[in-house]
PDB file of all heavy atoms in Angstrom:
ATOM      1  N   MET Y   1     -51.171 -12.836 -44.557  1.00  0.00           N
ATOM      2  CA  MET Y   1     -50.608 -13.969 -45.260  1.00  0.00           C
ATOM      3  C   MET Y   1     -49.695 -14.733 -44.299  1.00  0.00           C
ATOM      4  O   MET Y   1     -48.831 -14.150 -43.684  1.00  0.00           O
ATOM      5  CB  MET Y   1     -49.817 -13.448 -46.489  1.00  0.00           C
ATOM      6  CG  MET Y   1     -49.331 -14.545 -47.359  1.00  0.00           C
ATOM      7  SD  MET Y   1     -48.839 -14.004 -49.000  1.00  0.00           S
ATOM      8  CE  MET Y   1     -47.681 -12.743 -48.726  1.00  0.00           C
ATOM      9  N   GLU Y   3     -46.815 -17.210 -42.811  1.00  0.00           N
ATOM     10  CA  GLU Y   3     -45.437 -17.511 -43.142  1.00  0.00           C
ATOM     11  C   GLU Y   3     -45.197 -19.013 -42.948  1.00  0.00           C
ATOM     12  O   GLU Y   3     -45.617 -19.588 -41.948  1.00  0.00           O
ATOM     13  CB  GLU Y   3     -44.492 -16.728 -42.232  1.00  0.00           C
ATOM     14  CG  GLU Y   3     -43.050 -16.878 -42.592  1.00  0.00           C
ATOM     15  CD  GLU Y   3     -42.171 -16.019 -41.693  1.00  0.00           C
ATOM     16  OE1 GLU Y   3     -42.515 -14.837 -41.500  1.00  0.00           O
ATOM     17  OE2 GLU Y   3     -41.169 -16.533 -41.205  1.00  0.00           O
ATOM     18  N   PHE Y   6     -40.363 -23.867 -43.075  1.00  0.00           N
ATOM     19  CA  PHE Y   6     -40.041 -25.063 -43.825  1.00  0.00           C
ATOM     20  C   PHE Y   6     -39.483 -26.161 -42.934  1.00  0.00           C
ATOM     21  O   PHE Y   6     -39.815 -27.331 -43.116  1.00  0.00           O
ATOM     22  CB  PHE Y   6     -39.062 -24.761 -44.946  1.00  0.00           C
ATOM     23  CG  PHE Y   6     -39.610 -23.831 -46.003  1.00  0.00           C
ATOM     24  CD1 PHE Y   6     -39.143 -22.544 -46.120  1.00  0.00           C
ATOM     25  CD2 PHE Y   6     -40.615 -24.256 -46.869  1.00  0.00           C
ATOM     26  CE1 PHE Y   6     -39.672 -21.681 -47.079  1.00  0.00           C
ATOM     27  CE2 PHE Y   6     -41.141 -23.414 -47.824  1.00  0.00           C
ATOM     28  CZ  PHE Y   6     -40.671 -22.126 -47.917  1.00  0.00           C
ATOM     29  N   THR Y  42     -35.689 -27.235 -48.827  1.00  0.00           N
ATOM     30  CA  THR Y  42     -35.994 -25.791 -48.997  1.00  0.00           C
ATOM     31  C   THR Y  42     -35.456 -25.005 -47.796  1.00  0.00           C
ATOM     32  O   THR Y  42     -34.887 -23.916 -47.960  1.00  0.00           O
ATOM     33  CB  THR Y  42     -37.510 -25.571 -49.146  1.00  0.00           C
ATOM     34  OG1 THR Y  42     -37.974 -26.319 -50.265  1.00  0.00           O
ATOM     35  CG2 THR Y  42     -37.835 -24.086 -49.367  1.00  0.00           C
ATOM     36  N   LYS Y  45     -31.765 -24.030 -47.944  1.00  0.00           N
ATOM     37  CA  LYS Y  45     -31.401 -22.873 -48.760  1.00  0.00           C
ATOM     38  C   LYS Y  45     -31.261 -21.617 -47.918  1.00  0.00           C
ATOM     39  O   LYS Y  45     -30.480 -20.717 -48.246  1.00  0.00           O
ATOM     40  CB  LYS Y  45     -32.450 -22.612 -49.846  1.00  0.00           C
ATOM     41  CG  LYS Y  45     -32.547 -23.673 -50.898  1.00  0.00           C
ATOM     42  CD  LYS Y  45     -33.649 -23.306 -51.872  1.00  0.00           C
ATOM     43  CE  LYS Y  45     -33.878 -24.405 -52.889  1.00  0.00           C
ATOM     44  NZ  LYS Y  45     -34.978 -24.087 -53.799  1.00  0.00           N
ATOM     45  N   TYR Y  46     -32.032 -21.554 -46.827  1.00  0.00           N
ATOM     46  CA  TYR Y  46     -32.055 -20.341 -46.012  1.00  0.00           C
ATOM     47  C   TYR Y  46     -31.251 -20.478 -44.720  1.00  0.00           C
ATOM     48  O   TYR Y  46     -31.025 -19.491 -44.028  1.00  0.00           O
ATOM     49  CB  TYR Y  46     -33.504 -19.964 -45.673  1.00  0.00           C
ATOM     50  CG  TYR Y  46     -34.326 -19.742 -46.911  1.00  0.00           C
ATOM     51  CD1 TYR Y  46     -35.282 -20.681 -47.302  1.00  0.00           C
ATOM     52  CD2 TYR Y  46     -34.137 -18.621 -47.708  1.00  0.00           C
ATOM     53  CE1 TYR Y  46     -36.024 -20.481 -48.459  1.00  0.00           C
ATOM     54  CE2 TYR Y  46     -34.879 -18.417 -48.851  1.00  0.00           C
ATOM     55  CZ  TYR Y  46     -35.834 -19.354 -49.224  1.00  0.00           C
ATOM     56  OH  TYR Y  46     -36.545 -19.156 -50.348  1.00  0.00           O
ATOM     57  N   LYS Y  48     -28.256 -20.582 -42.307  1.00  0.00           N
ATOM     58  CA  LYS Y  48     -26.924 -19.964 -42.363  1.00  0.00           C
ATOM     59  C   LYS Y  48     -25.899 -20.727 -41.515  1.00  0.00           C
ATOM     60  O   LYS Y  48     -24.721 -20.674 -41.791  1.00  0.00           O
ATOM     61  CB  LYS Y  48     -27.012 -18.517 -41.886  1.00  0.00           C
ATOM     62  CG  LYS Y  48     -27.831 -17.622 -42.820  1.00  0.00           C
ATOM     63  CD  LYS Y  48     -27.825 -16.211 -42.324  1.00  0.00           C
ATOM     64  CE  LYS Y  48     -28.595 -15.250 -43.067  1.00  0.00           C
ATOM     65  NZ  LYS Y  48     -29.269 -15.183 -44.110  1.00  0.00           N
ATOM     66  N   VAL Y 130     -27.186 -23.930 -51.993  1.00  0.00           N
ATOM     67  CA  VAL Y 130     -26.321 -22.913 -52.580  1.00  0.00           C
ATOM     68  C   VAL Y 130     -25.030 -22.899 -51.776  1.00  0.00           C
ATOM     69  O   VAL Y 130     -25.023 -22.564 -50.606  1.00  0.00           O
ATOM     70  CB  VAL Y 130     -27.011 -21.522 -52.548  1.00  0.00           C
ATOM     71  CG1 VAL Y 130     -26.074 -20.472 -53.123  1.00  0.00           C
ATOM     72  CG2 VAL Y 130     -28.303 -21.560 -53.306  1.00  0.00           C
ATOM     73  N   TRP Y 138     -27.035  -5.809 -58.140  1.00  0.00           N
ATOM     74  CA  TRP Y 138     -28.274  -5.395 -58.775  1.00  0.00           C
ATOM     75  C   TRP Y 138     -27.964  -4.532 -60.001  1.00  0.00           C
ATOM     76  O   TRP Y 138     -28.676  -4.619 -61.010  1.00  0.00           O
ATOM     77  CB  TRP Y 138     -29.154  -4.592 -57.813  1.00  0.00           C
ATOM     78  CG  TRP Y 138     -29.801  -5.456 -56.769  1.00  0.00           C
ATOM     79  CD1 TRP Y 138     -29.493  -5.519 -55.452  1.00  0.00           C
ATOM     80  CD2 TRP Y 138     -30.863  -6.386 -56.964  1.00  0.00           C
ATOM     81  NE1 TRP Y 138     -30.289  -6.431 -54.811  1.00  0.00           N
ATOM     82  CE2 TRP Y 138     -31.158  -6.976 -55.719  1.00  0.00           C
ATOM     83  CE3 TRP Y 138     -31.616  -6.798 -58.060  1.00  0.00           C
ATOM     84  CZ2 TRP Y 138     -32.136  -7.925 -55.536  1.00  0.00           C
ATOM     85  CZ3 TRP Y 138     -32.610  -7.750 -57.885  1.00  0.00           C
ATOM     86  CH2 TRP Y 138     -32.852  -8.304 -56.645  1.00  0.00           C
ATOM     87  N   ASN Y 146     -39.019  -3.879 -62.915  1.00  0.00           N
ATOM     88  CA  ASN Y 146     -40.194  -4.501 -62.285  1.00  0.00           C
ATOM     89  C   ASN Y 146     -39.853  -5.895 -61.736  1.00  0.00           C
ATOM     90  O   ASN Y 146     -40.294  -6.258 -60.651  1.00  0.00           O
ATOM     91  CB  ASN Y 146     -41.357  -4.605 -63.276  1.00  0.00           C
ATOM     92  CG  ASN Y 146     -41.945  -3.256 -63.606  1.00  0.00           C
ATOM     93  OD1 ASN Y 146     -41.806  -2.304 -62.818  1.00  0.00           O
ATOM     94  ND2 ASN Y 146     -42.617  -3.153 -64.740  1.00  0.00           N
ATOM     95  N   ALA Y 147     -39.057  -6.652 -62.479  1.00  0.00           N
ATOM     96  CA  ALA Y 147     -38.675  -7.979 -62.031  1.00  0.00           C
ATOM     97  C   ALA Y 147     -37.777  -7.905 -60.791  1.00  0.00           C
ATOM     98  O   ALA Y 147     -37.941  -8.700 -59.863  1.00  0.00           O
ATOM     99  CB  ALA Y 147     -37.973  -8.742 -63.153  1.00  0.00           C
ATOM    100  N   LYS Y 148     -36.852  -6.956 -60.801  1.00  0.00           N
ATOM    101  CA  LYS Y 148     -35.967  -6.806 -59.649  1.00  0.00           C
ATOM    102  C   LYS Y 148     -36.759  -6.367 -58.418  1.00  0.00           C
ATOM    103  O   LYS Y 148     -36.506  -6.859 -57.296  1.00  0.00           O
ATOM    104  CB  LYS Y 148     -34.823  -5.809 -59.941  1.00  0.00           C
ATOM    105  CG  LYS Y 148     -33.827  -6.338 -60.954  1.00  0.00           C
ATOM    106  CD  LYS Y 148     -32.587  -5.475 -61.050  1.00  0.00           C
ATOM    107  CE  LYS Y 148     -32.786  -4.212 -61.793  1.00  0.00           C
ATOM    108  NZ  LYS Y 148     -31.531  -3.450 -62.043  1.00  0.00           N
ATOM    109  N   ALA Y 149     -37.717  -5.466 -58.609  1.00  0.00           N
ATOM    110  CA  ALA Y 149     -38.539  -5.020 -57.477  1.00  0.00           C
ATOM    111  C   ALA Y 149     -39.379  -6.196 -56.945  1.00  0.00           C
ATOM    112  O   ALA Y 149     -39.509  -6.347 -55.721  1.00  0.00           O
ATOM    113  CB  ALA Y 149     -39.432  -3.873 -57.908  1.00  0.00           C
ATOM    114  N   ALA Y 150     -39.923  -6.986 -57.825  1.00  0.00           N
ATOM    115  CA  ALA Y 150     -40.729  -8.144 -57.401  1.00  0.00           C
ATOM    116  C   ALA Y 150     -39.856  -9.148 -56.639  1.00  0.00           C
ATOM    117  O   ALA Y 150     -40.270  -9.733 -55.643  1.00  0.00           O
ATOM    118  CB  ALA Y 150     -41.407  -8.790 -58.589  1.00  0.00           C
ATOM    119  N   LEU Y 151     -38.653  -9.359 -57.110  1.00  0.00           N
ATOM    120  CA  LEU Y 151     -37.714 -10.274 -56.464  1.00  0.00           C
ATOM    121  C   LEU Y 151     -37.340  -9.786 -55.081  1.00  0.00           C
ATOM    122  O   LEU Y 151     -37.316 -10.545 -54.118  1.00  0.00           O
ATOM    123  CB  LEU Y 151     -36.464 -10.486 -57.326  1.00  0.00           C
ATOM    124  CG  LEU Y 151     -35.456 -11.489 -56.854  1.00  0.00           C
ATOM    125  CD1 LEU Y 151     -36.089 -12.892 -56.804  1.00  0.00           C
ATOM    126  CD2 LEU Y 151     -34.258 -11.525 -57.781  1.00  0.00           C
ATOM    127  N   ARG Y 152     -37.055  -8.496 -54.975  1.00  0.00           N
ATOM    128  CA  ARG Y 152     -36.748  -7.921 -53.640  1.00  0.00           C
ATOM    129  C   ARG Y 152     -37.911  -8.110 -52.683  1.00  0.00           C
ATOM    130  O   ARG Y 152     -37.710  -8.490 -51.537  1.00  0.00           O
ATOM    131  CB  ARG Y 152     -36.429  -6.427 -53.778  1.00  0.00           C
ATOM    132  CG  ARG Y 152     -35.051  -6.128 -54.293  1.00  0.00           C
ATOM    133  CD  ARG Y 152     -34.785  -4.622 -54.233  1.00  0.00           C
ATOM    134  NE  ARG Y 152     -33.604  -4.282 -54.981  1.00  0.00           N
ATOM    135  CZ  ARG Y 152     -33.573  -3.576 -56.092  1.00  0.00           C
ATOM    136  NH1 ARG Y 152     -34.691  -3.114 -56.618  1.00  0.00           N
ATOM    137  NH2 ARG Y 152     -32.422  -3.326 -56.695  1.00  0.00           N
ATOM    138  N   GLU Y 153     -39.114  -7.858 -53.161  1.00  0.00           N
ATOM    139  CA  GLU Y 153     -40.294  -7.915 -52.320  1.00  0.00           C
ATOM    140  C   GLU Y 153     -40.610  -9.351 -51.902  1.00  0.00           C
ATOM    141  O   GLU Y 153     -40.965  -9.606 -50.755  1.00  0.00           O
ATOM    142  CB  GLU Y 153     -41.486  -7.305 -53.066  1.00  0.00           C
ATOM    143  CG  GLU Y 153     -42.752  -7.281 -52.247  1.00  0.00           C
ATOM    144  CD  GLU Y 153     -43.919  -6.646 -53.028  1.00  0.00           C
ATOM    145  OE1 GLU Y 153     -43.684  -5.699 -53.794  1.00  0.00           O
ATOM    146  OE2 GLU Y 153     -45.031  -7.143 -52.843  1.00  0.00           O
ATOM    147  N   ALA Y 154     -40.491 -10.291 -52.834  1.00  0.00           N
ATOM    148  CA  ALA Y 154     -40.921 -11.659 -52.555  1.00  0.00           C
ATOM    149  C   ALA Y 154     -39.844 -12.514 -51.888  1.00  0.00           C
ATOM    150  O   ALA Y 154     -40.170 -13.421 -51.138  1.00  0.00           O
ATOM    151  CB  ALA Y 154     -41.329 -12.334 -53.875  1.00  0.00           C
ATOM    152  N   VAL Y 155     -38.561 -12.227 -52.110  1.00  0.00           N
ATOM    153  CA  VAL Y 155     -37.509 -13.091 -51.612  1.00  0.00           C
ATOM    154  C   VAL Y 155     -36.563 -12.367 -50.651  1.00  0.00           C
ATOM    155  O   VAL Y 155     -36.353 -12.799 -49.526  1.00  0.00           O
ATOM    156  CB  VAL Y 155     -36.696 -13.713 -52.781  1.00  0.00           C
ATOM    157  CG1 VAL Y 155     -35.577 -14.580 -52.257  1.00  0.00           C
ATOM    158  CG2 VAL Y 155     -37.610 -14.493 -53.708  1.00  0.00           C
ATOM    159  N   ILE Y 156     -35.983 -11.285 -51.104  1.00  0.00           N
ATOM    160  CA  ILE Y 156     -34.928 -10.629 -50.327  1.00  0.00           C
ATOM    161  C   ILE Y 156     -35.445 -10.058 -49.004  1.00  0.00           C
ATOM    162  O   ILE Y 156     -34.901 -10.348 -47.934  1.00  0.00           O
ATOM    163  CB  ILE Y 156     -34.247  -9.514 -51.155  1.00  0.00           C
ATOM    164  CG1 ILE Y 156     -33.730 -10.060 -52.493  1.00  0.00           C
ATOM    165  CG2 ILE Y 156     -33.140  -8.849 -50.344  1.00  0.00           C
ATOM    166  CD1 ILE Y 156     -32.705 -11.138 -52.381  1.00  0.00           C
ATOM    167  N   LEU Y 157     -36.501  -9.281 -49.061  1.00  0.00           N
ATOM    168  CA  LEU Y 157     -37.016  -8.670 -47.827  1.00  0.00           C
ATOM    169  C   LEU Y 157     -37.490  -9.673 -46.792  1.00  0.00           C
ATOM    170  O   LEU Y 157     -37.197  -9.519 -45.614  1.00  0.00           O
ATOM    171  CB  LEU Y 157     -38.087  -7.640 -48.167  1.00  0.00           C
ATOM    172  CG  LEU Y 157     -37.590  -6.393 -48.945  1.00  0.00           C
ATOM    173  CD1 LEU Y 157     -38.746  -5.478 -49.297  1.00  0.00           C
ATOM    174  CD2 LEU Y 157     -36.553  -5.647 -48.128  1.00  0.00           C
ATOM    175  N   PRO Y 158     -38.257 -10.734 -47.168  1.00  0.00           N
ATOM    176  CA  PRO Y 158     -38.640 -11.709 -46.150  1.00  0.00           C
ATOM    177  C   PRO Y 158     -37.469 -12.438 -45.504  1.00  0.00           C
ATOM    178  O   PRO Y 158     -37.544 -12.789 -44.331  1.00  0.00           O
ATOM    179  CB  PRO Y 158     -39.538 -12.695 -46.930  1.00  0.00           C
ATOM    180  CG  PRO Y 158     -40.056 -11.929 -48.078  1.00  0.00           C
ATOM    181  CD  PRO Y 158     -38.965 -10.962 -48.433  1.00  0.00           C
ATOM    182  N   VAL Y 159     -36.390 -12.636 -46.249  1.00  0.00           N
ATOM    183  CA  VAL Y 159     -35.218 -13.278 -45.663  1.00  0.00           C
ATOM    184  C   VAL Y 159     -34.504 -12.331 -44.707  1.00  0.00           C
ATOM    185  O   VAL Y 159     -34.091 -12.733 -43.618  1.00  0.00           O
ATOM    186  CB  VAL Y 159     -34.264 -13.768 -46.779  1.00  0.00           C
ATOM    187  CG1 VAL Y 159     -32.931 -14.225 -46.190  1.00  0.00           C
ATOM    188  CG2 VAL Y 159     -34.899 -14.890 -47.572  1.00  0.00           C
ATOM    189  N   LYS Y 160     -34.410 -11.084 -45.099  1.00  0.00           N
ATOM    190  CA  LYS Y 160     -33.727 -10.105 -44.228  1.00  0.00           C
ATOM    191  C   LYS Y 160     -34.562  -9.695 -43.024  1.00  0.00           C
ATOM    192  O   LYS Y 160     -34.038  -9.458 -41.949  1.00  0.00           O
ATOM    193  CB  LYS Y 160     -33.367  -8.858 -45.029  1.00  0.00           C
ATOM    194  CG  LYS Y 160     -32.181  -9.024 -45.933  1.00  0.00           C
ATOM    195  CD  LYS Y 160     -31.769  -7.705 -46.539  1.00  0.00           C
ATOM    196  CE  LYS Y 160     -30.509  -7.848 -47.349  1.00  0.00           C
ATOM    197  NZ  LYS Y 160     -30.087  -6.562 -47.928  1.00  0.00           N
ATOM    198  N   PHE Y 161     -35.877  -9.633 -43.208  1.00  0.00           N
ATOM    199  CA  PHE Y 161     -36.787  -9.190 -42.153  1.00  0.00           C
ATOM    200  C   PHE Y 161     -37.923 -10.209 -41.965  1.00  0.00           C
ATOM    201  O   PHE Y 161     -39.076  -9.932 -42.310  1.00  0.00           O
ATOM    202  CB  PHE Y 161     -37.369  -7.806 -42.486  1.00  0.00           C
ATOM    203  CG  PHE Y 161     -36.332  -6.782 -42.809  1.00  0.00           C
ATOM    204  CD1 PHE Y 161     -36.103  -6.389 -44.107  1.00  0.00           C
ATOM    205  CD2 PHE Y 161     -35.577  -6.202 -41.792  1.00  0.00           C
ATOM    206  CE1 PHE Y 161     -35.139  -5.430 -44.409  1.00  0.00           C
ATOM    207  CE2 PHE Y 161     -34.594  -5.266 -42.084  1.00  0.00           C
ATOM    208  CZ  PHE Y 161     -34.383  -4.881 -43.392  1.00  0.00           C
ATOM    209  N   PRO Y 162     -37.654 -11.379 -41.408  1.00  0.00           N
ATOM    210  CA  PRO Y 162     -38.689 -12.401 -41.308  1.00  0.00           C
ATOM    211  C   PRO Y 162     -39.803 -12.032 -40.317  1.00  0.00           C
ATOM    212  O   PRO Y 162     -40.888 -12.586 -40.386  1.00  0.00           O
ATOM    213  CB  PRO Y 162     -37.921 -13.633 -40.802  1.00  0.00           C
ATOM    214  CG  PRO Y 162     -36.667 -13.088 -40.183  1.00  0.00           C
ATOM    215  CD  PRO Y 162     -36.365 -11.817 -40.896  1.00  0.00           C
ATOM    216  N   LEU Y 164     -41.503  -9.320 -40.233  1.00  0.00           N
ATOM    217  CA  LEU Y 164     -42.521  -8.459 -40.844  1.00  0.00           C
ATOM    218  C   LEU Y 164     -43.600  -9.246 -41.516  1.00  0.00           C
ATOM    219  O   LEU Y 164     -43.502 -10.258 -42.024  1.00  0.00           O
ATOM    220  CB  LEU Y 164     -41.866  -7.512 -41.861  1.00  0.00           C
ATOM    221  CG  LEU Y 164     -40.880  -6.507 -41.245  1.00  0.00           C
ATOM    222  CD1 LEU Y 164     -40.269  -5.657 -42.370  1.00  0.00           C
ATOM    223  CD2 LEU Y 164     -41.571  -5.613 -40.252  1.00  0.00           C
TER     224      LEU Y 164
END
Side-chain angles (χ1 to χ4, degrees):
M1 186 163 55
E3 185 177 314
F6 295 110
T42 302
K45 292 179 186 178
Y46 302 107
K48 294 182 182 355
V130 178
W138 286 108
N146 290 337
K148 290 192 284 188
L151 185 61
R152 282 187 192 112
E153 182 180 324
V155 179
I156 306 299
L157 292 177
V159 170
K160 284 188 174 180
F161 307 105
L164 296 178

